[in-house]
Amino acid sequence: MSDGEKWNLENAAAGAIAGFSTVAVLHPLDVVRTRFQVSDGRGGSCLPLYKNTAHAIYSIARMEGLRGLYAGFYPAVFGSTVSWGLYFFFYSRAKARYKKGFDQSLSPGYHLVAAAEAGALVCVLTNPIWLVKTRLQLQTPFNQNRPYIGSSDAVRTIFKEEGWRAFYKGIGSGLFLVSHAAIQFCAYEELRKITINLKSRREKTDVKDGDRLLNSFDYAMLGGASKLAAILLTYPSQVIRARIQQRPSSDGIPKYLDSWHVASETARFEGARGFYRGITSSLLKNIPSASITFVMYENILKLFKLSQSKLDTSD
């Protein structure tokens, strides 16, 4: 295995570990966010009406217990672990490919293209996982349909009742969410450069030693800030995807036909506010999540580098 391939696998492993850790800690907020996103306030839904994030958590815990707060946990853990692992793998490969022939660091444009490329590949590969997660998170004691008994039952039932194409519902808005990842990683890379330059000037050290200049607090701030920018700019597409991925009613008729139908109905009945339902719980969940992810990713990567350098020295 070449050094480049080994480095890509290390990026994938670091990303996967980071993704698993964040989901395990913050999953209840993800359940709340998903339920807010599909609640249009027009009735016809089996979901209770929640006043705010705190009320939603309290209501779910009281009516459904811990199981309700962790609905869809297994596909969320699996999906996040796979997604982050694949994302960092594809992203590092894309950056390495675009960097060939360049001595200096990549420009923001190249970071944007690399992030978008990685995001598109991950979206196509993982959309079925997110659909199953969304369906499980939307199950309540008031559902008219026979409830899914776990992830495997959900997969079998969806395939039997709706066919394989159902697993790719929301893929259009999901691909639009590629811009979310592109914005996040481009912002992270540029903020990272700025932070390194500022620290190198202050400490009068070489910019090339950037990894040594940054600490866990820096990674947390950079990860949180980049995620905030991405959420604010692309959140409506998350609402559209969640709504179109809802389970059809007991008669098999879906509430929305496609992404355009979701967008037009939301704009018609709820206005701009409808496209930002659940954003509070999304911010509460995703900003700490991004901070934890990048702290773990960067530190795990440092451990890999340290262990590799020790091996090279011993050889």
Side-chain angles (χ1 to χ4, degrees):
M1 185 182 292
S2 67
D3 290 340
E5 289 174 335
K6 186 183 294 183
W7 179 245
N8 287 329
L9 289 175
E10 287 176 350
N11 274 273
I17 295 167
F20 170 82
S21 304
T22 54
V23 174
V25 175
L26 299 167
H27 187 74
L29 285 169
D30 191 46
V31 174
V32 172
R33 178 194 63 173
T34 302
R35 293 193 178 187
F36 268 121
Q37 285 176 339
V38 303
S39 178
D40 56 17
R42 289 190 284 140
S45 172
C46 295
L47 292 173
L49 293 176
Y50 305 119
K51 296 176 183 177
N52 50 47
T53 300
H55 178 246
I57 292 174
Y58 171 77
S59 299
I60 294 169
R62 184 171 59 87
M63 297 178 64
E64 304 170 53
L66 192 63
R67 189 170 183 175
L69 289 172
Y70 278 87
F73 178 71
Y74 292 118
V77 167
F78 180 65
S80 184
T81 303
V82 171
S83 292
W84 278 109
L86 289 175
Y87 196 96
F88 280 111
F89 176 75
F90 291 137
Y91 182 59
S92 61
R93 283 179 66 93
K95 284 201 303 181
R97 188 169 67 252
Y98 294 134
K99 199 170 183 179
K100 284 182 179 178
F102 293 94
D103 293 330
Q104 297 180 344
S105 59
L106 293 177
S107 67
Y110 277 112
H111 282 139
L112 201 63
V113 173
E117 179 184 314
L121 289 168
V122 171
C123 178
V124 171
L125 292 172
T126 61
N127 197 75
I129 303 171
W130 300 126
L131 181 127
V132 171
K133 184 210 76 162
T134 298
R135 294 279 183 93
L136 289 171
Q137 288 181 336
L138 295 177
Q139 286 194 151
T140 71
F142 307 106
N143 280 111
Q144 296 176 350
N145 304 76
R146 181 188 72 81
Y148 301 127
I149 307 170
S151 303
S152 57
D153 180 58
V155 171
R156 287 193 300 268
T157 306
I158 293 168
F159 185 78
K160 181 181 177 181
E161 294 180 353
E162 303 170 63
W164 66 268
R165 290 186 180 182
F167 290 104
Y168 284 90
K169 282 185 176 182
I171 188 71
S173 51
L175 286 171
F176 182 76
L177 277 171
V178 166
S179 61
H180 176 101
I183 292 167
Q184 180 184 356
F185 274 76
C186 185
Y188 182 82
E189 295 283 3
E190 294 310 305
L191 289 171
R192 192 175 190 274
K193 278 190 214 173
I194 292 169
T195 306
I196 289 172
N197 284 329
L198 289 172
K199 284 202 163 190
S200 64
R201 287 176 189 173
R202 189 176 63 200
E203 299 180 19
K204 297 180 180 180
T205 56
D206 195 338
V207 176
K208 291 181 180 179
D209 295 328
D211 286 341
R212 296 179 183 178
L213 294 174
L214 299 181
N215 54 39
S216 293
F217 179 79
D218 295 322
Y219 297 136
M221 293 299 101
L222 294 173
S226 60
K227 190 67 174 181
L228 175 62
I231 289 174
L232 293 177
L233 291 171
T234 65
Y235 191 77
S237 59
Q238 295 183 39
V239 173
I240 292 171
R241 183 170 69 166
R243 292 190 176 191
I244 203 170
Q245 287 183 339
Q246 292 179 85
R247 188 176 184 178
S249 59
S250 55
D251 56 10
I253 300 174
K255 188 170 184 177
Y256 299 104
L257 301 175
D258 50 37
S259 296
W260 175 249
H261 187 212
V262 177
S264 59
E265 290 289 289
T266 302
R268 179 185 174 191
F269 291 103
E270 303 167 69
R273 188 175 181 179
F275 292 101
Y276 286 89
R277 284 189 180 271
I279 194 168
T280 302
S281 49
S282 181
L283 292 171
L284 288 173
K285 184 249 179 186
N286 284 304
I287 291 179
S289 174
S291 296
I292 295 168
T293 297
F294 278 99
V295 167
M296 293 198 66
Y297 169 74
E298 295 283 7
N299 283 299
I300 291 166
L301 217 50
K302 281 183 180 179
L303 287 175
F304 282 144
K305 285 182 181 179
L306 184 62
S307 60
Q308 186 59 47
S309 63
K310 286 183 178 179
L311 286 172
D312 293 339
T313 304
S314 62
D315 291 341

